[in-house]
Each structure stands twice: as structure tokens, then as C-alpha cells.
């Protein structure tokens, strides 16, 4: 007996970091890049194999939620959710989502593990419950997450999210053409979030102003999505990047990619996710996408992916 499940990557369109402090943010699922999990019945204790994540096979104590390993914790939480006494078998994880690059790899792997265990058990785990379990793992292993990553990855819909507040699924009047360009620099969101927290402690009023400005950008961006105003949405994304620079979470490589995208005709561009590395996100038009993509590659991007948000799950990562 076997089972199979998956969950997508994600990108933050606007609002990262400020979302940790209660501001809204907008995130998009990247349905074309996924974490996949398979479950195979064996007569041995539950084992987790995730070669893509550069980890040795791990035997999981499903009775313990004290695990120092996020994937093991997710498996244990799911086993407990279903009230199982124990579980034998082998979970294999394969992921197309680059790790430590702001694309939601950790949340997607957790969601895929939760779903595959549910499916093997002959059940479905409701998104609301899965979201709660993945958030538990994020909290345990990623510092002080806002919850946006697990939410967009589990529901696989564009979201307008604020911590402890709104969760609205967005509909796009027109699709958004988006390029994601990878700086090739691995960066831990946890560290960037911790540094922002230090800044908040040292300069609370100044940080609060930046967060407020980002919050206003997110709300106006939502209107732009509702009314198909791509030109203004692009300006807002670029303004968001400048505020993220002020928060000290950009880096020269990300700034360089943002400038290259704008120079090549993108409507707007910014870092996406924790920053200090990972990806930038650029808003383009169907006609300008190839030229902007080429410029990003020439500017040093390791990989450039095209995704069309609001129009199914198209992704082209032919480079
Ligand atoms: O996981 P990343 O790198 O996409 O970043 C998540 C967004 C942050 O706002 C930086 C952190 C959070 O928990 O919301």
C-alpha cells in the first residue's frame, strides 16, 4: 500500500517582515514548483528519506513531539492528530523548491508530509487543521513566523493575510505575469527576522513608521489587483523594496537584480521573502517577460522562473 501528496512553493508579492508585526501581506502559491511526499508501507518504524534536502534517513519517534527535526515533528503531530498509536512505513520527500531562498520550502515539505500520512491512513486532513500543524512546526523551527507561509502553501490560493486577523483569498481581475529570479545566495529567514527584531528594539518609532508604510502599500496593492492596475502595482512593489532596504534585509546582489529588472522594463521589482539572498520578484507584461528574463540572467540570476498568477498554475523554468 502506498500514498502520494504534494504542496506548492510560494512567493510574497508585498508585505514581508512587516507582516510579523501585524501588518497585512499578499502571497501567491507557486503551483508549478512543489514538495512531493510518498508513503510506502513497511514493517519498520517510520523512516523519513529526503535526499533533496541533503539529509540522512531519519527514524521518527511518532510518540514524541519534542523532536529537534522539523520534518519529524510534522510527522509526529500528524500521527497524533489522527490519534494513531504508531505508524510503520517509509516517507520519501522530493522537492523542486530551492531551500533557504524565500520560496516556502519548509512549509511545503511539512504540508506534503501531513497530507501523505493522512492519505495513507485513508483520511483527508482539512486545510484548516493542516495549516495549524504546519504553523506549529514553523514556530518551533523558524523563530517567530507570521503564519503567511503555511497559509498560502496549504490553501494553494493567493492570500491577503494578517497575523491573527484577515485571511482573504484573492481573485485576480487579470493575471499577473511574474518573474522570480534567484540570487543563488542561501539565506535563513530566521536570521533576517531576528535582525529586524533587534532594530525594532533599538529604534521602535522608526521601525513602526516603516511597517505602517509597508501596510499602506499592501492595501493599495490589493486594490490594484482588484482593479487590474499593473502599472501602479509595479510602483508599489518597487517602493516596498526601498522600505525593505531601510529595514536592512536586502543585499547588493538582490538590489542589482531589482535594478536590472526595472532597467529591462519590469513594472516593478522587489526582494521576496526573508531577504539577504533568495529571490527577487518582478512584475512584467506578457510582451516584456522574455527581455526582462534575459536581462536578469545576464545580471547574474542563477535561475529565472515565470509564473502567471491568477491563471491556474503555469510555471516556466526552462533556464
Ligand atoms: O520564508 P520566507 O523567506 O519567504 O519569509 C517569510 C516572510 C517573513 O515575513 C520574512 C517572515 C514571516 O514569518 O512572515
Amino acid at each position: 500500500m502506498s500514498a502520494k501528496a504534494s504542496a506548492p512553493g510560494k512567493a510574497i508579492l508585498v508585505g514581508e517582515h512587516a507582516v510579523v508585526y501585524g501588518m497585512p501581506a499578499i502571497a501567491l502559491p507557486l503551483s508549478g514548483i512543489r514538495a512531493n511526499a510518498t508513503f510506502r508501507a513497511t514493517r519498520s518504524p517510520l523512516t523519513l528519506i529526503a535526499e533533496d534536502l541533503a539529509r540522512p534517513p531519519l527514524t521518527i519517534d511518532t510518540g514524541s513531539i519534542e523532536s529537534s527535526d522539523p520534518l519529524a515533528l510534522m510527522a509526529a503531530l500528524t500521527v497524533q492528530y489522527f490519534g494513531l498509536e504508531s505508524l510503520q512505513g517509509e516517507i520519501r520527500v522530493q522537492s523542486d523548491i530551492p531551500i533557504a531562498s524565500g520560496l516556502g520550502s519548509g512549509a511545503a515539505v511539512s504540508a506534503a508530509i501531513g497530507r501523505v500520512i493522512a492519505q495513507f491512513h485513508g483520511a483527508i486532513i482539512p486545510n484548516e487543521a493542516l495549516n495549524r500543524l504546519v504553523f506549529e512546526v514553523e514556530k518551533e523551527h523558524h523563530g517567530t513566523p507570521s503564519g503567511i507561509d503555511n497559509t498560502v502553501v496549504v490553501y494553494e490560493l493567493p492570500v491577503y493575510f494578517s497575523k491573527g486577523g484577515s485571511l482573504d483569498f484573492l481573485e485576480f481581475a487579470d493575471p499577473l505575469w511574474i518573474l522570480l529570479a534567484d540570487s543563488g545566495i542561501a539565506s535563513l529567514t530566521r536570521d533576517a527576522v531576528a535582525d529586524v527584531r533587534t532594530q525594532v528594539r533599538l529604534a521602535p518609532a522608526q521601525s513602526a513608521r516603516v511597517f505602517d508604510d509597508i501596510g499602506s502599500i499592501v492595501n493599495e496593492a490589493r486594490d490594484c489587483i482588484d482593479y487590474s492596475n499593473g502599472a501602479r502595482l509595479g510602483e508599489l512593489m518597487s517602493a516596498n523594496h526601498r522600505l525593505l532596504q531601510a529595514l536592512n534585509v536586502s543585499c547588493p546582489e538582490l538590489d542589482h537584480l531589482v535594478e536590472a529588472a526595472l532597467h529591462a522594463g519590469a513594472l516593478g521589482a522587489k526582494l521576496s521573502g526573508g531577504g539577504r539572498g533568495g529571490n527577487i520578484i518582478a512584475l512584467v507584461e506578457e510582451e516584456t517577460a522574455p527581455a526582462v528574463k534575459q536581462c536578469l540572467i545576464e545580471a547574474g540570476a542563477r535561475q529565472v522562473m515565470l509564473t502567471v498568477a491568477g491563471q491556474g498554475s503555469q510555471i516556466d523554468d526552462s533556464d
Side-chain angles (χ1 to χ4, degrees):
M1 205 183 145
S2 64
K4 229 177 175 178
S6 72
K10 71 99 203 12
I12 295 190
L13 185 68
V14 278
E16 52 274 267
H17 285 291
V19 69
V20 175
Y21 296 88
M23 294 296 152
I26 296 174
L28 312 168
L30 300 173
S31 296
I33 52 169
R34 311 190 70 83
N36 303 293
T38 55
F39 196 116
R40 190 170 67 84
T42 67
R43 289 179 188 279
S44 313
L46 188 62
T47 309
L48 200 113
I49 300 172
E51 280 152 8
D52 290 348
L53 307 180
R55 304 150 45 95
L58 183 75
T59 303
I60 298 174
D61 175 4
T62 49
S64 160
I65 50 164
E66 301 296 314
S67 177
S68 60
D69 182 277
L71 278 52
L73 174 60
M74 185 64 206
L77 286 172
T78 313
V79 166
Q80 293 203 354
Y81 172 81
F82 285 112
L84 306 177
E85 276 187 8
S86 68
L87 189 63
Q88 292 183 318
E90 182 187 275
I91 297 177
R92 265 181 195 269
V93 174
Q94 175 278 325
S95 177
D96 316 322
I97 310 166
I99 48 176
S101 65
L103 298 184
S105 157
V109 167
S110 291
I113 289 175
R115 282 194 179 127
V116 87
I117 292 176
Q119 211 182 97
F120 181 75
H121 179 54
I124 290 178
I125 183 161
N127 283 340
E128 208 185 320
L130 182 64
N131 196 24
R132 233 178 14 247
L133 299 188
V134 178
F135 186 49
E136 282 309 307
V137 177
E138 297 275 295
K139 277 199 298 204
E140 204 56 43
H141 290 280
H142 302 288
T144 52
S146 62
I148 191 167
D149 274 22
N150 44 286
T151 303
V152 65
V153 156
V154 166
Y155 287 93
E156 202 166 343
L157 288 169
V159 293
Y160 170 94
F161 170 97
S162 77
K163 199 166 133 180
S166 329
L167 170 59
D168 294 342
F169 297 113
L170 299 179
E171 290 199 14
F172 290 70
D174 276 321
L176 296 182
W177 286 67
I178 282 167
L179 290 171
L180 286 156
D182 189 352
S183 66
I185 303 169
S187 164
L188 291 177
T189 299
R190 188 180 45 227
D191 296 344
V193 170
D195 288 353
V196 171
R197 193 166 294 285
T198 305
Q199 282 179 59
V200 170
R201 219 177 31 245
L202 296 176
Q206 196 186 329
S207 313
R209 265 198 304 278
V210 175
F211 296 149
D212 278 347
D213 289 350
I214 294 178
S216 305
I217 283 176
V218 173
N219 286 325
E220 201 185 332
R222 182 179 180 165
D223 291 342
C224 291
I225 289 171
D226 287 345
Y227 297 106
S228 291
N229 189 347
R232 180 66 186 147
L233 178 59
E235 285 171 9
L236 292 168
M237 288 168 65
S238 299
N240 192 170
H241 184 70
R242 291 190 290 276
L243 290 166
L244 290 164
Q245 286 174 318
L247 282 180
N248 217 4
V249 291
S250 192
C251 65
E253 293 83 355
L254 290 174
D255 292 344
H256 181 60
L257 290 177
V258 164
E259 270 154 36
L262 295 176
H263 187 72
L267 297 170
K270 60 182 277 294
L271 70 84
S272 182
R276 305 260 171 88
N279 279 263
I280 68 130
I281 182 167
L283 183 66
V284 293
E285 288 158 301
E286 189 170 357
E287 308 74 50
T288 56
V292 178
K293 180 173 180 176
Q294 186 56 33
C295 272
L296 284 165
I297 292 165
E298 282 162 20
R302 289 290 168 82
Q303 194 189 28
V304 183
M305 294 187 289
L306 171 69
T307 181
V308 186
Q311 187 189 280
S313 60
Q314 192 176 331
I315 272 227
D316 156 26
D317 62 350
S318 47
D319 284 298

